[in-house]
Amino acid sequence: MGAMRLDGRAIAAEIQEGLAKDVADLRAGGVQPTLAVVLVGDDPASHSYVRGKMKVAEKLGIGSRDHLLPGFTSQKELLDLVARLNADPAVHGILVQLPLPGQIDERMVLEAIDPRKDVDGFHPFNLGSLLQGGTPMPPCTPAGCMELIRRAGVDLTGKEAVVVGRSEIVGKPVSIMLLAAHATVTICHSRTRDLAEVCRRADVLVVAVGRPRLITPDHVREGAVVIDVGVNRVGDKLVGDVDYAAVAEKAAAITPVPRGVGPMTITMLMKNTLTAARMASRP
Ligand SMILES: NC(=O)c1ccc[n+]([C@@H]2O[C@H](COP(=O)([O-])OP(=O)(O)OC[C@H]3O[C@@H](n4cnc5c(N)ncnc54)[C@H](OP(=O)(O)O)[C@@H]3O)[C@@H](O)[C@H]2O)c1
């Protein structure tokens, strides 16, 4: 059959065009949307993610400030910085790049961020709001997945959605969003009995595990929409959790890796930054 390729990069570019216009409007009204990015330590992958985010911010006219702290930074120093950024009216969004070094309690840091500046959407207030029917600041990767599903032309009402993975940053929140869109949702994880059988129920299959090519055609119903969140380095290549070439023969639509969910995640981060700037500038 040959699936439709859900080109995250192209879709992200289209959304970013709209965001750039919104940024220009805000700037014309005297508000410079600004994102503060905090990075602790010298993990090369984290540095590369942060560079990617700042590059897109700049392209859209969003101001960005980077706070690059050494790996030995103490919890108190980091909390002090978060408090300063919370109090700074020129900063609308605060992103603390994860993972943090072992001496720092990640949860405590995320909870210290003002929920109105929590552009990653990981603060318990925003996750709680998501559970209670919606938040202006949804977590970025799940929001990106939902946008891709919408763009695939899927009406989720009454559909079977299966999510593989139950992490707090992807699996759990995307399950809640699918539920809110009236899908019948099943969440799988490492203890799921017969993963392939459960996945084959899916009209929409979202996979966020972190295992290269875990999902094969055996897991996929003919005509399903497949969203592959996984990013795995195999040799010098990035691959997803889904065996793309084989599954594309069976699926109706599928996201590639790279250039699928990744660019959507960054775009949703920019959208949240704009939302935060708008909320802050309202009287
Ligand atoms: N593109 C993006 O923007 C983006 C953003 C975030 C993450 N990612 C990628 O997405 C992947 C998942 O990230 P994450 O942070 O959600 O990962 P995570 O916190 O490690 O969670 C992985 C989940 O997969 C489940 N799992 C592990 N092995 C399994 C198996 N054999 N069968 C079924 N489920 C299994 C785990 O189950 P248990 O709960 O039972 O352990 C867990 O719930 C990673 O590759 C990550 O790099 C991409």
Side-chain angles (χ1 to χ4, degrees):
M1 188 168 83
M4 167 172 49
R5 186 172 187 271
L6 290 171
D7 184 341
R9 200 159 78 153
I11 295 170
E14 208 179 299
I15 298 172
Q16 284 176 20
E17 247 176 65
L19 293 178
K21 288 200 185 91
D22 294 346
V23 172
D25 286 348
L26 270 169
R27 287 171 64 157
V31 178
Q32 168 59 63
T34 299
L35 172 67
V37 181
V38 180
L39 174 54
V40 185
D42 43 29
D43 175 50
S46 293
H47 274 267
S48 136
Y49 290 142
V50 162
R51 271 197 307 275
K53 289 166 186 175
M54 296 187 67
K55 215 170 102 188
V56 175
E58 192 186 345
K59 197 171 89 189
L60 302 188
I62 293 175
S64 64
R65 298 188 187 172
D66 58 345
H67 297 269
L68 306 177
L69 308 179
F72 55 77
T73 300
S74 71
Q75 165 117 344
K76 179 169 184 314
E77 285 168 318
L78 184 53
L79 287 174
D80 286 348
L81 172 60
V82 169
R84 282 201 302 280
L85 295 172
N86 280 342
D88 185 342
V91 170
H92 303 109
I94 303 170
L95 179 144
V96 177
Q97 183 67 40
L98 303 179
L100 292 168
Q103 75 275 16
I104 293 171
D105 181 340
E106 226 163 71
R107 190 175 281 266
M108 201 179 255
V109 172
L110 295 181
E111 287 183 16
I113 297 172
D114 182 334
R116 290 166 298 188
K117 298 190 178 189
D118 170 40
V119 284
D120 252 341
F122 295 156
H123 191 284
F125 179 84
N126 286 320
L127 287 175
S129 303
L130 183 67
L131 208 59
Q132 292 177 329
T135 164
M137 223 77 88
C140 303
T141 300
C145 293
M146 294 303 290
E147 190 60 37
L148 285 168
I149 293 167
R150 261 194 295 280
R151 301 273 174 148
V154 179
D155 174 8
L156 283 162
T157 306
K159 296 275 164 52
E160 292 279 345
V162 175
V163 178
V164 190
R166 56 174 164 179
S167 72
E168 260 143 54
I169 62 168
V170 191
K172 273 186 207 168
V174 82
S175 304
I176 299 300
M177 291 179 186
L178 289 161
L179 185 64
H182 310 300
T184 301
V185 183
T186 306
I187 309 171
C188 302
H189 44 79
S190 65
R191 322 289 163 88
T192 298
R193 226 183 328 125
D194 204 342
L195 182 68
E197 192 202 339
V198 181
C199 289
R200 276 197 302 272
R201 287 187 213 154
D203 298 304
V204 174
L205 181 62
V206 179
V207 188
V209 174
R211 308 226 161 180
R213 305 195 179 100
L214 172 74
I215 301 298
T216 66
D218 190 39
H219 297 74
V220 177
R221 173 198 280 199
E222 193 84 41
V225 171
V226 180
I227 308 292
D228 186 357
V229 181
V231 179
N232 308 289
R233 189 164 283 284
V234 175
D236 58 356
K237 271 184 74 181
L238 288 184
V239 300
D241 292 343
V242 177
D243 183 348
Y244 182 90
V247 168
E249 294 292 316
K250 231 176 158 183
I254 181 169
T255 59
V257 176
R259 301 185 179 176
V261 174
M264 296 298 288
T265 296
I266 298 189
T267 304
M268 295 299 130
L269 174 68
M270 300 306 143
K271 190 174 173 189
N272 281 349
T273 304
L274 258 179
T275 302
R278 270 202 205 99
M279 290 192 311
S281 62
R282 248 180 241 143

